[in-house]
Amino acid sequence: MSANQSPAGQQPTATYDSAFLKACRREPVPHTPVWFMRQAGRSLPEYLKVRAGIPMLESCTRPELVTEITLQPVRRHGVDAAIYFSDIVVPLKAIGIDLDIKPGVGPVVENPIRTRADLARLRDLTPEDVSYVTEAIGLLTAELGATPLIGFAGAPFTLASYLVEGGPSRNHEHTKALMYGDPQLWADLLDRLAEITGAFLKVQIEAGASAVQLFDSWAGALAPADYRRSVLPASAKVFDAVAGYGVPRIHFGVGTGELLGLLGEAGADVVGVDWRVPLDEAARRVGPGKALQGNLDPAVLFATREAVETKTDEILAAAAELEGHVFNLGHGVLPTTAPDALTRLVEHVHTRTAR
């Protein structure tokens, strides 16, 4: 039973009537809910203090540390949802892929996956592989009370790109060479990653996550026809895997203005929008029946307070007729963002949208 479901004949759980989950369900809200991608992280001095000397992937396996980091922005900013502190490559590491997150670089895979024989290295993910996730979410939901917790995972295309390239890539040349040159191997690779990702999200939901977000960080590198043919089936498989839990499913990618309708079509209940497309135009592209999330440019937070409020008000105006709106940035919080700017932004959105 997920943390936001209302069992038949029983009272709803603590998070069910939260502003965040109501917005995801496209129901009336007391105010527009706010959370930030990468809200738990390097923009907070308290995060830098507790993470000092601890490698990223190791920190993701320490339940008490994960709990503390996840709670930090909730305490400081008063956001309407917490997002589980982890990394998209955690499930790959958990099934034995030799990778590490190198500071200043990102995930680096020792032996890239580029042949059919390499698929054997992608075994099934079991709850026992990530028992620390179950423990951490149990600790978190006990602390969060009525504040929802968002679980997340990397989408099959983005995970495939890291695995095939061996690390971050500007042009995704090895990835696209495989996708175009051996479409059956590509389809099989994404299908395996969809199974792993679906299993990882199930662990989080069953432990108590109230919603999940699928990050397709690199999907903006694709043309719509290529996304529909070569990526959408795997993303849809992930969303289908968790459909029965009744939790809101959010889909987000960077530079995906041309893909917004397809992101929703893959099975999302909420489509994340980056800052390049106004929310009213995004709603037209996505179509009815979906809530939207977004979409302040993270760099705006370096401007004056007045400028931040002006840009925020423009977004709220564009969102005025949406079926459901969750305020967020159009990508993650930048590391040198002043924490007070985020706190003021939450207060401004809450005040402006109070009903």
Side-chain angles (χ1 to χ4, degrees):
M1 180 59 63
S2 76
N4 74 305
Q5 283 182 298
S6 175
Q10 299 180 25
Q11 290 299 309
T13 53
T15 63
Y16 187 81
D17 285 325
S18 64
F20 169 73
L21 290 178
K22 280 177 171 285
C24 290
R25 297 193 302 261
R26 296 175 287 123
E27 297 173 359
V29 291
H31 59 262
T32 297
V34 188
W35 73 278
F36 305 116
M37 291 177 279
R38 294 190 191 143
Q39 64 187 17
R42 293 173 291 175
S43 64
L44 298 181
E46 55 265 43
Y47 168 83
L48 297 174
K49 182 177 180 180
V50 298
R51 268 285 320 278
I54 306 173
M56 178 61 185
L57 284 175
E58 181 183 339
S59 70
C60 295
T61 65
R62 297 189 182 185
E64 292 82 5
L65 181 60
V66 168
T67 300
E68 168 59 22
I69 292 172
T70 302
L71 290 172
Q72 286 174 349
V74 179
R75 297 190 200 112
R76 181 187 273 265
H77 304 314
V79 287
D80 293 279
I83 183 163
Y84 183 74
F85 175 74
S86 187
D87 189 271
I88 63 171
V89 299
V90 163
L92 300 179
K93 182 74 171 180
I95 63 170
I97 297 298
D98 188 0
L99 60 82
D100 197 10
I101 298 177
K102 296 191 176 180
V105 178
V108 176
V109 180
E110 183 66 25
N111 297 301
I113 288 180
R114 295 178 183 170
T115 69
R116 181 158 296 281
D118 291 332
L119 289 183
R121 290 154 53 196
L122 296 173
R123 66 168 176 82
D124 291 341
L125 177 86
T126 69
E128 292 72 31
D129 292 322
V130 287
S131 58
Y132 46 85
V133 172
T134 299
E135 182 179 348
I137 291 179
L139 294 171
L140 275 164
T141 53
E143 290 282 341
L144 285 166
T147 301
L149 176 67
I150 305 168
F152 78 92
F157 175 78
T158 291
L159 294 180
S161 180
Y162 280 119
L163 287 170
V164 174
E165 299 291 340
S169 172
R170 184 180 299 273
N171 299 311
H172 310 281
E173 51 264 56
H174 295 292
T175 305
K176 290 185 176 182
L178 179 59
M179 184 176 73
Y180 297 133
D182 193 341
Q184 188 57 57
L185 175 57
W186 173 259
D188 292 344
L189 170 60
L190 260 66
D191 190 69
R192 289 294 299 121
L193 291 171
E195 291 175 0
I196 292 164
T197 301
F200 189 53
L201 290 179
K202 285 180 179 180
V203 167
Q204 295 175 69
I205 296 168
E206 291 180 1
S210 294
V212 290
Q213 176 158 310
L214 194 65
F215 284 87
D216 214 347
S217 307
W218 305 127
L222 298 171
D226 291 330
Y227 180 90
R228 178 181 291 282
R229 177 178 57 249
S230 302
V231 176
L232 191 150
S235 294
K237 183 172 182 174
V238 175
F239 285 126
D240 286 346
V242 298
Y245 292 98
V247 305
R249 299 160 296 170
I250 310 168
H251 203 1
F252 174 77
V254 185
T256 51
E258 297 299 320
L259 306 178
L260 288 172
L262 294 169
L263 294 182
E265 191 177 322
D269 304 298
V270 184
V271 176
V273 184
D274 75 12
W275 66 93
R276 297 170 178 87
V277 180
L279 288 178
D280 48 358
E281 170 59 19
R284 187 190 69 77
R285 297 183 187 185
V286 171
K290 310 285 183 184
L292 296 186
Q293 178 176 279
N295 66 337
L296 183 69
D297 183 344
V300 169
L301 288 164
F302 291 83
T304 63
R305 180 172 183 169
E306 293 74 18
V308 173
E309 291 181 354
T310 297
K311 295 298 291 183
T312 299
D313 289 345
E314 290 175 3
I315 290 166
L316 295 174
E321 301 301 321
L322 298 184
E323 295 181 61
H325 178 221
V326 176
F327 190 95
N328 206 314
L329 303 181
H331 197 201
V333 175
L334 297 171
T336 54
T337 304
D340 287 349
L342 292 165
T343 304
R344 288 195 299 266
L345 179 55
V346 174
E347 293 172 350
H348 182 75
V349 173
H350 284 174
T351 300
R352 273 284 195 270
T353 61
R355 291 151 169 88

